[in-house]
Amino acid sequence: MKININKLDSYDINPRDEVTLITYNSWLKEILYVKNKNTKGRIKLLPGGMYKNTTTGEIKQCKKQIENRSQGVASLKQTFKSIREAINVNCEDVRKCKMITLTYKEKMVDTKKLYDDFKKFNMKFKYRYEDYEYIMVCEPQSTGSFHIHVIYIWEDIVPYLDYDKVVKMWNKGYVKILPLYGNVENLGAYFTAHLSDLPVDECNMTYEEIIKNHLFVKEVYYDAETKKELKEPKYYIKGARLKYYPPKFNIYRHSKGIKKPGKDKMEYRQALKKVGSEIPTFESTIQVKDNDGNELNIIVRECYNSRRFPLEDDKEPELVFNILDDISSSY
């Protein structure tokens, strides 16, 4: 059964309908509404590499093993969602956080050694700077080489980190130590966007190829690492980095004390009281239909950020547009 997804301008949720209120921190909350909840799995695995669609009764062959993570986009998106949630929940006070980027002198493609190197580094780091939690993400470059981003989170203000000592602990290449800046409120969204998108000049694609493949370019006004406003915007191709993630490789790890967002089910009217506003800073509504045009579901997502006014035309902080529009004048 083919599924068609359409974006709707809006949808009126009944005040008494059940929604999920997701609380990331004191100023960032989200209301999620799903019209029809699926309580049963739609796919049932069968012997011989087959599966059955329990909705339609169809029996099909499972797809071949994926070659890279871009072919398992749903899985990768779920990973990015977990990273985004972890950052938004645990990095509320940026004065207690530091991001360290660990790179290699030589090309690094051995993912097992990559994680082993991080474990050794983290043991040395913990010996000197104890009592912290961490969020660790491995990021591939267009060359296929990996480097590591680690966000360290303390209960109090970040202790003084001796750069020379940290470099010696790593002893594999280059090290960057950066604070998390507070001028971009939804840090998780910016960080995960950096993990999936590539600068136009790193994609090894011509302008004609970008148009032919209907790729989207976004205009970024903040530096991906420092979160400082750029003098001139940079252009990134959305999702271009995904193909460099290898299959069955856990790009995201964290310490045991990392907190998860609170998720509570309640009536929509109650959720609006909890967020303290009836006007979201960002909202999206999608309609799911089958091949015959029958509506299967409506999914509404409303974000409430008390540090930011509602955005015009439901645009997120980073402008996304089609390459066929007015990007040609800036390429």
Side-chain angles (χ1 to χ4, degrees):
M1 178 174 63
K2 185 179 179 181
I3 300 297
N4 298 300
I5 297 177
N6 307 304
K7 184 176 180 180
L8 303 182
D9 291 334
S10 62
Y11 181 83
D12 293 328
I13 305 174
N14 188 302
R16 292 185 179 275
D17 280 349
E18 184 184 77
V19 299
T20 301
L21 175 64
I22 305 171
T23 303
Y24 297 104
N25 50 51
S26 62
W27 45 265
L28 185 62
K29 297 178 176 65
E30 180 179 325
I31 294 176
L32 178 65
Y33 169 75
V34 181
K35 185 177 181 181
N36 299 313
K37 299 175 181 64
N38 181 20
T39 57
K40 296 181 180 180
R42 192 167 65 88
I43 299 298
K44 181 180 180 181
L45 292 177
L46 302 174
M50 308 294 287
Y51 72 90
K52 179 179 181 179
N53 185 320
T54 57
T55 303
T56 64
E58 294 176 289
I59 297 178
K60 294 184 177 181
Q61 178 76 40
C62 293
K63 291 183 178 179
K64 295 180 180 180
Q65 182 176 346
I66 60 175
E67 296 176 2
N68 57 57
R69 291 297 289 270
S70 67
Q71 295 169 277
V73 172
S75 172
L76 203 53
K77 282 185 177 180
Q78 183 58 45
T79 299
F80 288 161
K81 180 174 181 289
S82 298
I83 296 170
R84 184 168 62 249
E85 288 181 348
I87 293 174
N88 287 338
V89 172
N90 295 274
C91 301
E92 180 175 7
D93 188 344
V94 294
R95 298 173 302 169
K96 301 177 180 180
C97 308
K98 268 287 196 293
M99 184 170 78
I100 297 181
T101 300
L102 307 170
T103 62
Y104 287 84
K105 293 178 182 177
E106 309 296 335
K107 186 174 181 178
M108 167 51 69
V109 295
D110 186 337
T111 54
K112 183 180 183 304
K113 186 177 186 307
L114 184 79
Y115 184 54
D116 288 342
D117 287 343
F118 168 72
K119 286 197 295 184
K120 292 174 183 176
F121 168 80
N122 196 52
M123 287 176 63
K124 296 174 185 176
F125 193 82
K126 195 170 186 65
Y127 181 78
R128 185 173 181 86
Y129 308 106
E130 54 187 14
D131 298 327
Y132 59 77
E133 303 297 335
Y134 69 82
I135 297 168
M136 174 265 208
V137 183
C138 302
E139 178 191 349
Q141 303 303 295
S142 56
T143 61
S145 182
F146 276 90
H147 62 238
I148 299 168
H149 296 292
V150 194
I151 298 177
Y152 286 105
I153 308 151
W154 284 266
E155 290 187 7
D156 298 310
I157 303 301
V158 174
Y160 170 71
L161 303 180
D162 189 310
Y163 177 78
D164 292 334
K165 286 184 170 58
V166 174
V167 171
K168 190 175 180 180
M169 291 176 197
W170 176 236
N171 198 32
K172 302 287 181 183
Y174 308 104
V175 173
K176 280 186 181 179
I177 301 178
L178 293 169
L180 296 184
Y181 291 85
N183 60 339
V184 178
E185 289 82 5
N186 194 342
L187 291 169
Y190 278 80
F191 189 78
T192 51
H194 172 69
L195 293 172
S196 63
D197 306 330
L198 267 181
V200 170
D201 56 4
E202 289 185 26
C203 291
N204 299 319
M205 298 181 71
T206 64
Y207 174 65
E208 289 74 18
E209 288 174 322
I210 293 174
I211 295 176
K212 181 180 178 181
N213 290 284
H214 305 290
L215 297 176
F216 283 82
V217 169
K218 69 179 183 181
E219 188 174 349
V220 177
Y221 296 93
Y222 293 90
D223 183 89
E225 290 186 330
T226 66
K227 305 299 183 290
K228 290 184 177 180
E229 190 171 357
L230 300 169
K231 293 181 179 179
E232 294 182 357
K234 289 185 177 180
Y235 300 98
Y236 288 76
I237 297 183
K238 288 183 65 62
R241 197 188 299 273
L242 299 183
K243 66 181 180 181
Y244 298 110
Y245 288 93
K248 298 183 179 180
F249 173 55
N250 189 1
I251 66 167
Y252 162 56
R253 302 171 192 266
H254 60 77
S255 55
K256 292 181 180 179
I258 288 296
K259 301 171 186 175
K260 295 182 178 181
K263 297 183 180 181
D264 301 290
K265 295 187 183 301
M266 61 188 70
E267 291 183 353
Y268 182 53
R269 58 178 182 169
Q270 295 173 319
L272 289 177
K273 288 182 180 179
K274 293 279 187 180
V275 300
S277 173
E278 292 186 358
I279 304 176
T281 46
F282 171 78
E283 60 182 333
S284 68
T285 303
I286 62 170
Q287 180 187 53
V288 184
K289 289 185 175 183
D290 63 17
N291 221 17
D292 297 323
N294 301 310
E295 182 181 281
L296 301 177
N297 217 334
I298 295 284
I299 301 170
V300 181
R301 172 178 165 245
E302 297 178 348
C303 293
Y304 295 83
N305 186 335
S306 62
R307 291 185 177 180
R308 190 169 68 227
F309 291 108
L311 299 169
E312 296 181 2
D313 300 325
D314 299 337
K315 291 290 191 300
E316 299 222 45
E318 295 167 342
L319 178 64
V320 178
F321 53 90
N322 193 298
I323 191 70
L324 293 175
D325 296 334
D326 52 6
I327 182 63
S328 57
S329 61
S330 304
Y331 186 77

Coordinates of all heavy atoms in Angstrom, one line a residue, residues 98-102 121 125 129 158 161-167 175-179 181:
K98 N 30.4 22.3 27.9 CA 31.5 22.6 26.9 C 31.4 21.5 25.9 O 31.2 20.4 26.1 CB 32.8 22.5 27.7 CG 33.3 23.8 28.2 CD 33.8 24.8 27.1 CE 34.7 25.9 27.8 NZ 34.0 26.8 28.6
M99 N 31.7 22.0 24.6 CA 31.8 21.0 23.5 C 33.2 20.8 23.1 O 33.9 21.8 22.9 CB 31.0 21.4 22.3 CG 31.0 20.3 21.2 SD 29.8 20.6 19.9 CE 30.7 21.9 19.0
I100 N 33.7 19.6 23.1 CA 35.0 19.3 22.6 C 35.0 18.5 21.3 O 34.2 17.5 21.3 CB 35.8 18.5 23.7 CG1 36.0 19.3 25.0 CG2 37.2 18.1 23.2 CD1 36.7 18.6 26.1
T101 N 35.7 18.9 20.3 CA 35.7 18.2 19.0 C 37.1 17.6 18.9 O 38.1 18.2 19.1 CB 35.5 19.2 17.8 OG1 34.2 19.7 18.0 CG2 35.6 18.4 16.5
L102 N 37.1 16.3 18.7 CA 38.3 15.5 18.6 C 38.5 15.0 17.1 O 37.7 14.3 16.6 CB 38.3 14.3 19.5 CG 37.9 14.5 20.9 CD1 37.7 13.2 21.7 CD2 39.0 15.3 21.6
F121 N 40.3 8.3 25.8 CA 40.3 9.7 26.1 C 39.4 10.1 27.2 O 39.8 10.8 28.1 CB 39.9 10.5 24.8 CG 39.6 11.9 25.1 CD1 40.7 12.8 25.2 CD2 38.3 12.4 25.3 CE1 40.5 14.2 25.5 CE2 38.1 13.8 25.5 CZ 39.2 14.6 25.6
F125 N 40.1 12.0 30.7 CA 39.4 13.2 31.0 C 38.6 13.1 32.3 O 38.6 14.1 33.1 CB 38.4 13.5 29.9 CG 37.8 14.9 29.8 CD1 38.5 15.9 29.3 CD2 36.5 15.1 30.4 CE1 38.0 17.2 29.3 CE2 36.0 16.4 30.4 CZ 36.7 17.4 29.8
Y129 N 38.7 15.7 35.3 CA 37.5 16.6 35.4 C 36.3 15.7 35.7 O 35.6 15.3 34.8 CB 37.3 17.3 34.1 CG 38.5 18.1 33.6 CD1 39.3 17.7 32.6 CD2 38.9 19.3 34.3 CE1 40.4 18.4 32.1 CE2 40.0 20.0 33.9 CZ 40.7 19.6 32.8 OH 41.8 20.3 32.4
V158 N 31.1 25.2 34.4 CA 32.2 24.4 33.8 C 33.6 24.8 34.5 O 33.9 25.9 34.7 CB 32.3 24.7 32.3 CG1 33.6 24.0 31.7 CG2 31.1 24.3 31.6
L161 N 39.3 24.2 31.9 CA 39.9 23.1 31.1 C 41.2 23.6 30.5 O 41.2 24.5 29.7 CB 38.9 22.7 30.0 CG 37.5 22.3 30.4 CD1 36.7 21.9 29.2 CD2 37.5 21.1 31.4
D162 N 42.2 22.9 30.9 CA 43.6 23.2 30.4 C 43.7 22.6 28.9 O 43.8 21.4 28.8 CB 44.6 22.6 31.3 CG 46.0 23.1 30.9 OD1 46.4 23.0 29.8 OD2 46.7 23.5 31.9
Y163 N 43.8 23.5 27.9 CA 43.8 23.1 26.6 C 44.9 22.2 26.3 O 44.8 21.1 25.6 CB 43.8 24.3 25.6 CG 43.9 23.9 24.2 CD1 42.8 23.5 23.5 CD2 45.1 24.0 23.5 CE1 42.8 23.1 22.1 CE2 45.2 23.6 22.2 CZ 44.1 23.2 21.5 OH 44.1 22.8 20.2
D164 N 46.1 22.5 26.7 CA 47.3 21.7 26.4 C 47.2 20.3 27.0 O 47.6 19.3 26.4 CB 48.6 22.4 27.0 CG 48.9 23.6 26.2 OD1 48.5 23.7 25.0 OD2 49.5 24.5 26.8
K165 N 46.6 20.2 28.2 CA 46.4 18.9 28.8 C 45.4 18.1 28.1 O 45.5 16.9 28.0 CB 46.1 19.1 30.3 CG 47.2 19.5 31.2 CD 46.8 19.6 32.7 CE 48.0 19.8 33.6 NZ 48.8 21.0 33.3
V166 N 44.3 18.7 27.6 CA 43.3 18.0 26.9 C 43.8 17.5 25.6 O 43.6 16.3 25.2 CB 42.1 18.9 26.6 CG1 41.0 18.2 25.7 CG2 41.4 19.3 28.0
V167 N 44.7 18.3 24.9 CA 45.3 17.8 23.7 C 46.2 16.6 23.9 O 46.2 15.7 23.1 CB 46.1 19.0 23.0 CG1 47.0 18.5 21.9 CG2 45.2 20.1 22.6
V175 N 42.3 19.3 18.5 CA 41.2 19.4 19.5 C 40.6 20.8 19.5 O 41.4 21.8 19.4 CB 41.7 19.1 20.9 CG1 40.7 19.4 22.0 CG2 42.2 17.7 21.0
K176 N 39.3 20.9 19.5 CA 38.6 22.2 19.7 C 37.8 22.2 21.0 O 37.1 21.2 21.3 CB 37.7 22.5 18.6 CG 38.3 23.0 17.3 CD 37.3 23.4 16.3 CE 37.9 23.9 15.0 NZ 36.8 24.3 14.0
I177 N 37.9 23.2 21.8 CA 37.1 23.4 23.0 C 36.3 24.6 22.9 O 36.8 25.7 22.8 CB 38.0 23.4 24.3 CG1 38.9 22.2 24.4 CG2 37.1 23.6 25.5 CD1 39.8 22.2 25.6
L178 N 35.0 24.4 22.8 CA 34.1 25.6 22.6 C 32.9 25.6 23.6 O 32.4 24.5 24.0 CB 33.4 25.5 21.2 CG 34.4 25.7 20.0 CD1 33.7 25.3 18.7 CD2 34.9 27.1 19.9
P179 N 32.5 26.7 24.0 CA 31.3 26.8 24.9 C 30.0 26.6 24.0 O 30.1 26.7 22.8 CB 31.4 28.2 25.5 CG 32.1 29.0 24.4 CD 33.1 28.0 23.8
Y181 N 26.7 28.3 23.1 CA 26.3 29.7 23.2 C 24.7 29.8 23.4 O 24.0 28.9 22.9 CB 26.7 30.5 22.0 CG 28.2 30.7 21.9 CD1 29.0 29.7 21.3 CD2 28.7 31.8 22.4 CE1 30.3 29.9 21.2 CE2 30.1 32.0 22.3 CZ 30.9 31.1 21.7 OH 32.3 31.2 21.7

